[in-house]
């Protein structure tokens, strides 16, 4: 049985994994780069190893360095988190070769799902619906025109090595076929070193709905229902929720079966996600598989009542799944928002810096997975996501109200964050009524681009409070009841003695 796990990651996900380790009596090992000497995940772990310079390509992505740290620490397993080496087939193989358990799938599953054309073929064999289109790469421009016409405009040209929107082009008009295929190919070559592209029918009004699956090493596979992830900006998810507001029980059951079949088709082991693209009529098609634990896994954990990291570790220990499909249900509603150190009023420019103050939201139905603390300087080298706020409530309406309450209570200064933008999303009519697709952010620009100016009354209160506080620091004789005649109609009640949490 696994006694010590090295977490080959940083930030909130490293801490998330360590929490489950601690509950299971498993020791955790952190690794850190030069930029992460003062990071919370290092303090949180039982021990920590230095793995190289700040840039991930010279630390978190160096397989040799991670393996060295695992050997020095005597870890019997490695959890890769998400990003970094989590979907690296070579890393999965290397761990195996070194006698270290990789908490994730085989290199075969990673490779098969990593190549979109191979994955499409595999899904067809497993009778999982894929988007109508081709399952062989386009070999020349003349063939491209013929193929696109056969599939029927509009189409999507996609890179086989792609994912996340890179090397992808939508084509609406015949005269654009050649330029779009050429552009997709060169972008794919630049991004992945592989210019294979294929054709898919364009799905109108697309929704991104994914299913969480778990497979053990004994032939058992289950799904833990869906996550609705259509609120995205430039292929970066912003809000996720479960259940999906557009799902029906009938379609859910069918999609769940197809999700399990998709994973079984590659002898999957561990936790994974099957992404579907779904239209307004609930026609659904396999899009891709993520062969890792995902950022948005907590909403599933809350609604289904399962610790997904614990399940990953149990599976890695070769234990059979104890969860049974027929016993799993969705209870209530969960929403997650991602908080980024970005300035929403300045084109979402990354805004790293030092955290001056943080008050995390608490209370009924609130979970906050973060890693920053007061005085911490966010390094500029990694993803600007600083935390995830997850709420649960019995109904979707109450979950939205709870999210607004939690966002209101979340105070963070020193850096700009996406919190005001998230607050606005919760008030958009199409979000409130659950009628949204992947065009949500662009379609609702008129609600979302509005700057929120603090009103003047609040500014007055803040200025006076700051002044009174300042006076009290100047001289011991100046106390809270000083400064009584600051402004007409204002009265000084002194400072609040207790920490004011909302
Ligand atoms: C599509 C599509 C419409 N039709 N494929 C974008 C990222 C990549 N994973 C797949 N994507 C899409 N593929 C067909 N045939 C629309 C998108 C798409 C999208 C998908 C999921 C989430 C957000 C998206 C935003 C824009 C476009």
């Amino acid at each position: 049985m696994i006694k010590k796990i090295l977490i080959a990651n940083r930030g909130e996900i490293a801490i998330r994994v360590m929490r489950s380790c601690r509950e299971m009596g498993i020791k955790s090992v952190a690794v850190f780069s030069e930029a992460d000497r003062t990071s919370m995940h290092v303090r949180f772990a039982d021990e920590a190893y230095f793995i190289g310079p700040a840039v991930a390509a010279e630390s978190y992505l160096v397989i040799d360095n991670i393996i060295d740290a695992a050997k020095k620490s005597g870890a019997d397993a490695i959890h890769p988190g998400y990003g970094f080496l989590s979907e690296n087939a070579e890393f999965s193989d290397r761990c195996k070769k070194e006698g270290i358990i990789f908490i994730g799938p085989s290199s075969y599953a990673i490779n098969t799902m990593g190549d979109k054309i191979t994955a499409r073929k595999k899904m067809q064999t497993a009778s999982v619906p894929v988007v109508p289109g081709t399952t062989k790469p386009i070999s020349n421009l003349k063939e491209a025109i013929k193929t696109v016409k056969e599939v029927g405009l509009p189409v999507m040209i996609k890179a086989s090595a792609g994912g996340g929107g890179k090397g992808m082009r939508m084509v609406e008009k015949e005269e654009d076929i050649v330029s779009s295929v050429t552009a997709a190919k060169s972008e794919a070559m630049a991004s992945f070193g592989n210019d294979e592209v294929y054709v898919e029918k364009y799905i109108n009004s697309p929704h991104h709905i994914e299913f969480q699956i778990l497979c053990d090493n004994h032939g058992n596979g289950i799904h833990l229902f869906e996550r609705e992830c259509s609120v995205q900006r430039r292929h970066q998810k912003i809000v996720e929720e479960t259940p999906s507001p557009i799902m029906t029980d009938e379609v859910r059951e069918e999609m769940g079966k197809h999700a399990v079949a998709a994973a079984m088709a590659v002898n999957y082991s561990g936790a994974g996600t099957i992404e579907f693209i779904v239209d307004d009529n609930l026609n659904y098609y396999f899009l891709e598989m993520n062969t890792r634990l995902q950022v948005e896994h907590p909403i599933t954990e809350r609604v289904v009542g399962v610790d997904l990291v614990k399940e990953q570790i149990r599976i890695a220990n070769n234990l059979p799944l104890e969860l049974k499909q027929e016993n799993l249900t969705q209870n209530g509603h969960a929403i997650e928002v991602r908080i980024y150190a970005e300035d929403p009023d300045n084109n979402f420019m990354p805004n790293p810096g030092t955290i001056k103050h943080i008050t995390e939201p608490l209370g009924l139905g609130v979970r906050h997975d973060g890693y920053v603390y007061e005085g911490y300087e966010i390094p500029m080298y990694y993803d600007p996501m600083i935390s995830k706020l997850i709420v649960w409530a019995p109904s979707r309406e109450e979950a939205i109200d709870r999210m607004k309450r939690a966002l209101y209570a979340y105070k963070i200064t020193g850096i700009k964050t996406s919190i005001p933008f998230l607050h606005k999303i919760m008030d958009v009519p199409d979000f409130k009524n659950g009628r949204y697709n992947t065009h949500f952010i662009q379609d609702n620009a008129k609600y979302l681009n509005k700057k929120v100016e603090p009103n003047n009354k609040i500014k007055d209160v803040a200025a006076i409070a700051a002044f009174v506080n300042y006076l009290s620091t100047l001289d011991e004789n100046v106390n809270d009841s000083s400064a009584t005649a600051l402004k007409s109609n204002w009265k000084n009640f002194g400072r609040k003695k207790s920490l004011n949490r909302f």
Side-chain angles (χ1 to χ4, degrees):
M1 289 293 136
I2 296 169
K3 290 191 179 65
K4 193 187 262 194
I5 296 177
L6 180 144
I7 296 96
N9 217 302
R10 64 180 303 282
E12 67 85 20
I13 191 59
I15 293 170
R16 159 71 192 92
V17 173
M18 289 174 198
R19 287 194 167 114
S20 288
C21 289
R22 181 133 312 158
E23 284 183 24
M24 297 172 83
I26 295 168
K27 293 273 185 246
S28 55
V29 180
V31 290
F32 62 98
S33 71
E34 193 61 55
D36 272 337
R37 290 190 181 278
T38 60
S39 263
M40 187 65 105
H41 76 283
V42 175
R43 301 184 185 184
F44 219 86
D46 292 302
E47 49 187 299
Y49 291 81
F50 178 71
I51 49 161
V55 275
E58 295 175 40
S59 49
Y60 295 104
L61 290 169
V62 182
I63 293 177
D64 281 340
N65 296 4
I66 306 281
I67 298 288
D68 275 356
K71 287 191 167 166
K72 274 195 203 125
S73 67
D76 20 56
I78 296 181
H79 193 300
Y82 52 71
F84 295 138
L85 294 170
S86 61
E87 296 185 275
N88 185 306
E90 186 192 336
F91 186 53
S92 172
D93 269 346
R94 178 69 186 279
C95 290
K96 202 174 187 181
K97 212 180 95 197
E98 302 284 352
I100 301 165
I101 296 168
F102 176 70
I103 303 178
S106 67
S107 60
Y108 163 76
I110 298 172
N111 280 330
T112 308
M113 289 304 189
D115 183 278
K116 307 301 165 229
I117 293 181
T118 317
R120 273 166 72 76
K121 282 190 206 149
K122 200 76 188 163
M123 292 308 105
Q124 284 178 333
T125 320
S127 301
V128 176
V130 299
V131 186
T134 60
T135 42
K136 68 177 205 252
I138 288 177
S139 52
N140 61 65
L141 292 171
K142 208 175 136 196
E143 186 199 306
I145 297 169
K146 187 169 160 266
T147 307
V148 169
K149 282 185 181 166
E150 276 165 17
V151 174
L153 287 165
V155 300
M156 281 292 225
I157 312 290
K158 291 188 177 182
S160 189
K166 273 215 184 104
M168 191 175 87
R169 285 287 184 285
M170 183 197 180
V171 189
E172 288 176 289
K173 289 179 279 177
E174 212 178 304
E175 61 260 38
D176 295 339
I177 298 172
V178 167
S179 63
S180 297
V181 170
T182 309
K185 271 181 169 292
S186 73
E187 197 176 309
M189 184 48 96
S191 306
F192 317 111
N194 172 350
D195 73 348
E196 266 185 18
V197 297
Y198 65 100
V199 181
E200 276 182 10
K201 181 93 191 131
Y202 180 79
I203 305 299
N204 260 321
S205 185
H207 301 255
H208 172 136
I209 298 179
E210 57 186 32
F211 272 69
Q212 177 69 53
I213 60 93
L214 284 172
C215 297
D216 66 18
N217 301 331
H218 305 272
N220 305 304
I222 56 170
H223 71 85
L224 294 91
F225 310 101
E226 81 280 9
R227 291 185 288 259
E228 167 67 70
C229 307
S230 296
V231 180
Q232 307 204 355
R233 192 185 157 274
R234 300 197 181 149
H235 304 298
Q236 194 184 50
K237 292 171 191 158
I238 301 176
V239 180
E240 303 99 355
E241 62 176 315
T242 185
S244 165
I246 66 164
M247 191 59 74
T248 65
D249 287 341
E250 204 183 353
V251 175
R252 175 179 292 120
E253 194 177 328
E254 233 188 80
M255 285 177 82
K257 280 182 184 155
H258 279 135
V260 172
M264 293 301 222
V266 291
N267 301 319
Y268 200 78
S269 169
T273 298
I274 310 295
E275 274 183 36
F276 293 99
I277 191 163
V278 183
D279 70 17
D280 286 335
N281 299 319
L282 297 189
N283 296 306
Y284 62 88
Y285 311 94
F286 170 90
L287 211 50
E288 46 195 79
M289 179 173 192
N290 299 309
T291 55
R292 60 165 194 278
L293 185 71
Q294 286 193 264
V295 175
E296 60 271 26
H297 76 275
I299 56 172
T300 299
E301 295 191 317
R302 188 60 185 82
V303 161
V304 188
V306 172
D307 177 337
L308 287 168
V309 174
K310 202 179 252 184
E311 293 304 318
Q312 286 185 298
I313 296 170
R314 292 189 72 256
I315 291 166
N317 267 326
N318 262 324
L319 293 168
L321 276 173
E322 275 175 7
L323 302 166
K324 299 270 173 277
Q325 190 71 61
E326 61 271 24
N327 296 334
L328 297 181
T329 53
Q330 292 170 298
N331 173 25
H333 199 95
I335 305 175
E336 173 180 282
V337 295
R338 300 185 185 191
I339 289 97
Y340 290 97
E342 288 176 348
D343 183 359
D345 290 331
N346 185 19
N347 200 30
F348 297 86
M349 284 279 282
N351 195 270
T354 302
I355 307 292
K356 283 213 185 83
H357 170 82
I358 178 166
T359 302
E360 299 173 72
L362 297 167
L364 181 62
V366 177
R367 167 175 173 182
H368 182 241
D369 277 23
Y371 78 105
V372 305
Y373 56 88
E374 272 174 24
Y376 178 67
E377 186 183 351
I378 299 167
M380 51 169 300
Y381 297 94
Y382 314 108
D383 192 276
M385 191 183 82
I386 57 167
S387 74
K388 309 181 303 205
L389 178 54
I390 302 106
V391 299
W392 178 90
S395 69
R396 184 171 189 271
E397 292 69 27
E398 291 163 287
I400 293 173
D401 288 341
R402 188 160 281 169
M403 180 60 84
K404 287 166 68 173
R405 183 265 288 175
L407 285 168
Y408 182 69
Y410 196 157
K411 310 290 182 199
I412 187 158
T413 61
I415 56 158
K416 294 235 170 85
T417 74
S418 53
I419 292 173
F421 186 70
L422 297 167
H423 223 124
K424 283 188 271 186
I425 290 178
M426 295 298 129
D427 282 326
V428 173
D430 281 349
F431 184 78
K432 280 191 153 163
N433 64 31
R435 274 195 290 275
Y436 62 85
N437 60 27
T438 57
H439 308 310
F440 173 79
I441 299 290
Q442 59 191 94
D443 287 353
N444 289 284
K446 67 169 174 171
Y447 296 102
L448 299 171
N449 292 346
K450 264 193 233 153
K451 269 197 184 175
V452 267
E453 295 293 348
N455 70 44
N456 287 330
K457 196 161 176 186
I458 301 267
K459 273 189 198 162
D460 278 352
V461 172
I464 291 166
F467 180 60
V468 170
N469 190 56
Y470 172 67
L471 284 180
S472 68
T473 63
L474 285 182
D475 182 342
E476 282 170 40
N477 297 321
V478 179
N479 59 36
D480 286 347
S481 56
S482 299
T484 45
L486 287 160
K487 201 174 173 182
S488 62
N489 299 324
W490 289 90
K491 203 176 164 112
N492 174 22
F493 289 99
R495 287 168 297 168
K496 273 222 165 133
K497 298 293 186 292
S498 57
L499 190 60
N500 191 2
R501 287 187 197 270
F502 292 91

